């Protein structure tokens, strides 16, 4: 949640860099935004609402260093006063903060007793006041910043500037920060896209490390102030990948990027001739059991992965990371805990993975982001290679996670139909493109845009996709939607089915699961509910449907990806017809870095 940007060394266009960076981070929060620039004095401008309001109000602020922030509200509603940066009583210290300071009430009480006045409801505002006190005692900016940080409990990524210093100071604990290394400037952000148009060279900060950015230079030190020799990495993404490229919304662009993302996920990892999968980071992996931990869309991919492994004979379960972190399941010594996280920074998933570490269990990060916290803390990493995803509602990352689950399953189980699966995976990108070219999802959305509620049903591998289809619709249309195993609809939820509640039924192939799903569709049809069948046409489910969304025929393990793309398109077009904020749905943010 929330986004931080900082820039040191571009005095002529620091403001432009900050505003551009905030636009690149808006998927992390868009309740309010603000900037602070230092140039002998401190100029601060912040506004409730999206970045466009800040851009209209900010004027021509100038300075050699500056910080900016886009907020996803935790403490206090989205208002001008609660927007970051926050300042001290003198107006000479400005701080931006991601995370939650758990002891802020105690600190706030102490500071008020010593005469400090607060203007916001946030936990973050205590930080500049703590810095102010130490500066008043004669401490240097860096010493004052370190002393303030030492008082904090909770999670944080912090960046601070003062009126009379041309440096940005920053640190992190359980919330990401990355330094961008330019030729004549240094950058700071909570995520790489914020400064990618200026540099692709990055330094990832670890918990407890402090960064100092000045004009064209940067240093990283540990908690005791010792200089650290940090390596510089290059980001493979380019700035064009984070642009809309002519699409109306990032979400639509990212739906259409799925063929390319899937090819990248598979490249160099599968051999159709031998039916083998070879992923270097998974070499030698042979767990006795697997536990997946994940949140949201990633949890649905985890459910799919767990079923896949169970059917291959490997005991596997999927857990919501927020539950696992506080009530972990029993695990044996040779187990593997897999954290499925698009960003690699999801706080609940990281907590679950750390719990696994405390129990000396091997961990694997299944993630999209090289250098993320999950990749640095886990024993192994399986990159899904989806490329940058800016839209808050996950699309291409889910498809790539499903493919990654197949790579994992093929590595640890090596089932008898491996060659068929590898062949189906090879064909998948082309089949997704075929579906995107021919989909009737827009017409289906037009017909059912006024539905009172929406239900999604599927069996087996299609159950997680039913859940994901419902989540996608909820996220961006604000309509009520629920996903169920198809057989469960009659055990209660059927009471909600009417002629105004479209039911999306997922059925591919003609096995027992498809046959039983047809029976469930007949139950729905008998209650006069409209039915949309998502099918390859092998079963006769289309005979009982009001609308049909076709998917190409393929292996049962791969069909869920195709079905899911159709549901993504339906959700997008319904939201578009309703005029929703598709890329930035209300109350949501892309990377959830608070528990």
């Amino acid at each position: 949640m929330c986004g931080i940007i900082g820039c040191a060394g571009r005095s002529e266009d620091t403001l432009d860099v900050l505003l551009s960076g905030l636009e690149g981070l808006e998927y992390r929060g868009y309740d309010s935004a603000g900037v602070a620039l230092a140039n002998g004095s401190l100029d601060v401008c912040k506004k409730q609402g999206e970045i466009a309001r800040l851009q209209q109000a900010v004027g021509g602020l100038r300075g050699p260093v500056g910080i900016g922030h886009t907020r996803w509200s935790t403490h206090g509603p989205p208002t001008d006063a609660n927007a970051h940066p926050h300042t001290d009583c003198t107006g000479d210290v400005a701080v931006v903060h991601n995370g939650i300071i758990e002891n802020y009430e105690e600190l706030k009480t102490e500071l008020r007793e010593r005469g400090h006045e607060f203007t916001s409801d946030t936990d973050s505002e205590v930080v500049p006041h703590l810095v102010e006190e130490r500066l008043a005692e004669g401490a240097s900016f860096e010493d004052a910043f370190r002393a303030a940080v030492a008082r904090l409990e909770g999670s944080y990524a912090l960046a601070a500037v003062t009126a009379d210093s041309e440096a940005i100071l920053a640190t992190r604990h359980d919330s990401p920060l990355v330094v961008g290394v330019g030729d004549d400037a240094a950058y700071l952000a909570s995520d790489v896209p914020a400064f990618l148009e200026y540099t692709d060279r990055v330094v990832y900060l670890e918990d407890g490390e402090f960064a100092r950015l000045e004009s064209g230079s940067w240093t990283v030190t540990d908690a005791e102030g010792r200089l650290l020799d940090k390596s510089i990495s290059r980001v493979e993404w380019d700035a064009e990948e984070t642009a809309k490229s002519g699409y109306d919304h990032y979400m639509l662009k990212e739906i259409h990027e799925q063929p390319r993302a899937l090819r990248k996920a598979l490249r160099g990892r599968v051999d159709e001739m031998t039916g083998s999968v070879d992923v270097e980071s998974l070499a030698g992996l042979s767990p006795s059991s697997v536990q997946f931990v994940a949140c949201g869309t990633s949890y649905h991919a985890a459910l799919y992965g767990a079923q896949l492994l169970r059917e291959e004979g490997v005991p596997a379960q999927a857990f919501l990371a927020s539950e696992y972190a506080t009530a972990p399941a029993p695990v044996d010594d040779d187990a593997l805990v897999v954290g499925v996280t698009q960003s690699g920074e999801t706080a609940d998933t990281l907590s679950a993975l750390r719990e696994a570490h405390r129990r000396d269990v091997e961990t694997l990060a299944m993630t999209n982001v090289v250098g993320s916290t999950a990749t640095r803390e886990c024993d192994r990493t399986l990159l899904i290679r989806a490329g940058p995803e800016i839209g808050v509602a996950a699309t291409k990352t889910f498809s790539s996670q499903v493919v990654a689950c197949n790579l994992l399953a093929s590595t640890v189980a090596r089932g008898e139909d491996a060659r068929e699966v590898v062949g189906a995976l090879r064909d998948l990108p082309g089949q997704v493109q075929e579906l995107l070219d021919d989909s009737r999802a827009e017409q289906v959305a037009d017909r059912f845009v006024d539905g009172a509620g929406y239900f999604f049903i599927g069996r087996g591998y299609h159950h997680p996709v039913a859940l994901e289809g419902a989540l996608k619709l909820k996220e961006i249309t604000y309509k009520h939607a629920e996903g169920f195993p198809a057989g469960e609809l009659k055990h209660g939820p059927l009471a909600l089915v009417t002629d105004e509640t479209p039911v999306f039924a997922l059925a591919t192939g003609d096995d027992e699961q498809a046959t039983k799903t047809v029976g469930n569709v007949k139950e729905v049809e008998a209650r006069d509910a409209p039915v949309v069948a998502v099918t390859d046409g092998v079963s006769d489910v289309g005979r009982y449907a009001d609308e049909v969304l076709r998917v190409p025929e393929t292996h049962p393990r791969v069909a869920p990806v195709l079905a899911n793309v159709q549901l993504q398109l339906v959700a997008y077009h319904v939201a578009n017809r309703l005029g929703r904020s598709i890329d930035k749905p209300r109350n949501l943010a892309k990377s959830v870095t608070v528990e």
Side-chain angles (χ1 to χ4, degrees):
M1 317 295 217
C2 303
I4 287 173
I5 179 69
C7 175
R10 297 178 64 111
S11 58
E12 294 302 312
D13 62 351
T14 302
L15 179 61
D16 292 339
V17 173
L18 297 180
L19 293 175
S20 173
L22 291 176
E23 286 183 325
L25 290 170
E26 201 166 13
Y27 61 92
R28 295 181 66 96
Y30 31 88
D31 291 342
S32 59
V35 294
L37 284 88
N39 189 11
S41 62
L42 197 61
D43 294 322
V44 177
C45 182
K46 51 188 188 174
K47 288 291 179 182
Q48 181 271 332
E50 297 187 0
I51 302 240
R53 293 196 68 223
L54 175 67
Q55 291 171 325
Q56 294 169 359
V58 75
L61 302 185
R62 302 172 74 86
V65 297
I67 54 176
H69 188 272
T70 180
R71 182 174 184 245
W72 184 83
S73 302
T74 55
H75 292 72
T79 63
D80 288 358
N82 288 334
H84 297 222
H86 290 291
T87 55
D88 65 326
C89 295
T90 68
D92 289 335
V93 179
V95 172
V96 291
H97 166 233
N98 292 350
I100 293 177
I101 297 171
E102 295 172 355
N103 62 333
Y104 84 99
E105 289 183 342
E106 171 191 335
L107 294 171
K108 201 170 190 177
T109 298
E110 290 180 14
L111 289 161
R112 276 182 169 149
E113 289 174 351
R114 294 195 289 269
H116 290 265
E117 295 182 0
F118 291 83
T119 60
S120 78
D121 304 312
T122 70
D123 55 332
S124 310
E125 195 182 358
V126 299
V127 182
H129 290 275
L130 291 170
V131 174
E132 175 195 0
E133 285 199 330
R134 290 305 182 101
L135 288 173
E137 295 170 0
S140 67
F141 178 29
E142 184 163 344
D143 288 343
F145 182 70
R146 287 177 178 272
V149 171
R151 296 293 315 278
L152 306 180
E153 297 174 6
S155 64
Y156 49 80
L158 291 164
V161 293
T162 64
D164 57 359
S165 173
E166 294 189 1
I168 300 172
L169 299 181
T171 190
R172 61 158 285 179
H173 178 72
D174 289 345
S175 192
L177 271 182
V178 58
V179 173
V181 181
D183 293 334
D184 54 3
Y187 306 89
L188 180 78
S190 45
D191 206 353
V192 170
F195 54 67
L196 192 54
E197 65 179 291
Y198 304 107
T199 182
D200 61 357
R201 295 181 293 158
V202 301
V203 175
Y204 296 99
L205 297 185
E206 303 286 352
D207 283 354
E209 294 181 346
F210 289 76
R212 183 183 183 97
L213 280 62
E214 297 178 275
S215 179
S217 69
W218 59 275
T219 56
V220 178
T221 53
D222 64 14
E224 285 71 43
R226 293 184 292 261
L227 190 65
L228 299 175
D229 183 16
K230 299 285 289 186
S231 61
I232 298 176
S233 304
R234 282 197 177 271
V235 178
E236 294 182 3
W237 302 344
D238 59 45
E240 179 61 28
E241 288 186 271
T242 62
K244 286 185 183 176
S245 303
Y247 288 90
D248 290 337
H249 299 93
Y250 280 112
M251 181 179 178
L252 185 61
K253 171 180 178 267
E254 287 154 7
I255 289 172
H256 282 265
E257 285 177 339
Q258 287 176 111
R260 182 174 66 173
L262 294 171
R263 289 188 185 97
K264 289 172 66 177
L266 294 167
R267 187 173 299 138
R269 291 171 162 179
V270 296
D271 185 337
E272 187 186 358
M273 295 297 294
T274 62
S276 63
V277 170
D278 184 11
V279 182
E280 184 178 354
S281 63
L282 302 181
L285 189 62
S286 182
S288 58
S289 63
V290 176
Q291 295 180 348
F292 291 88
V293 292
C295 308
T297 288
S298 294
Y299 174 67
H300 300 152
L303 286 171
Y304 168 89
Q307 180 176 347
L308 193 62
L309 284 164
R310 288 196 299 270
E311 293 196 0
E312 292 286 357
V314 179
Q317 296 171 281
F319 298 91
L320 289 165
S322 56
E323 293 294 314
Y324 187 94
T326 55
V331 65
D332 54 67
D333 293 340
D334 296 322
L336 175 71
V337 174
V338 180
V340 188
T341 161
Q342 182 276 137
S343 66
E345 304 292 351
T346 309
D348 288 325
T349 305
L350 291 175
S351 292
L353 289 167
R354 287 164 184 160
E355 176 58 33
H357 268 300
R358 282 191 286 271
R359 295 188 293 163
D360 295 323
V361 179
E362 187 172 17
T363 54
L364 169 70
M366 185 181 292
T367 185
N368 194 37
V369 182
V370 179
S372 60
T373 301
T375 65
R376 298 196 304 274
E377 293 189 2
C378 285
D379 301 304
R380 297 173 182 260
T381 295
L382 176 56
L383 293 170
I384 67 171
R385 299 178 177 174
E389 187 175 70
I390 305 301
V392 167
T395 52
K396 63 178 180 176
T397 51
F398 176 79
S399 296
S400 295
Q401 285 169 342
V402 168
V403 166
C405 286
N406 273 279
L407 298 178
L408 176 63
S410 296
T411 298
V412 302
R414 303 192 183 279
E416 294 180 359
D417 62 346
R419 183 169 296 181
E420 293 180 16
V421 173
V422 168
L425 289 172
R426 178 211 60 187
D427 295 338
L428 182 59
Q431 290 179 324
V432 172
Q433 187 62 60
E434 175 188 340
L435 185 157
L436 290 168
D437 292 340
D438 299 332
S439 176
R440 295 190 64 258
E442 188 169 3
Q443 292 91 323
V444 170
D446 284 342
R447 180 171 179 180
F448 298 117
V449 66
D450 294 322
Y454 302 81
F455 295 90
F456 296 77
I457 59 174
R459 290 175 181 265
Y461 294 132
H462 286 311
H463 170 220
V465 175
L467 298 177
E468 176 60 13
L471 178 62
K472 224 36 69 214
L473 198 76
K474 281 186 278 196
E475 285 178 321
I476 63 170
T477 71
Y478 315 149
K479 291 265 195 172
H480 179 76
E482 296 293 339
F484 303 97
E488 284 299 300
L489 195 63
K490 61 183 176 291
H491 294 292
L494 198 59
L496 300 175
V497 169
T498 71
D499 59 0
E500 296 182 342
T501 56
V503 177
F504 290 78
L506 287 68
T508 55
D510 61 354
D511 59 7
E512 183 181 7
Q513 290 181 341
T515 301
K516 288 183 178 295
T517 301
V518 172
N520 301 132
V521 167
K522 291 178 182 178
E523 296 164 359
V524 168
E525 184 188 38
R527 274 75 181 176
D528 296 324
V531 175
V532 180
V534 184
T535 179
D536 54 9
V538 177
S539 73
D540 60 353
V541 66
R543 291 176 50 195
Y544 307 99
D546 298 88
E547 293 279 359
V548 174
L549 292 172
R550 292 280 183 181
V551 300
E553 188 176 352
T554 186
H555 193 282
R557 281 170 52 166
V558 176
V561 174
L562 298 167
N564 186 63
V565 174
Q566 288 283 26
L567 299 184
Q568 291 171 350
L569 289 168
V570 170
Y572 172 82
H573 288 298
V574 171
N576 203 30
R577 293 292 182 275
L578 294 171
R580 304 301 194 221
S581 178
I582 291 175
D583 288 332
K584 296 172 284 187
R586 69 187 182 199
N587 303 332
L588 300 179
K590 184 70 174 171
S591 181
V592 186
T593 57
V594 294
E595 295 183 75

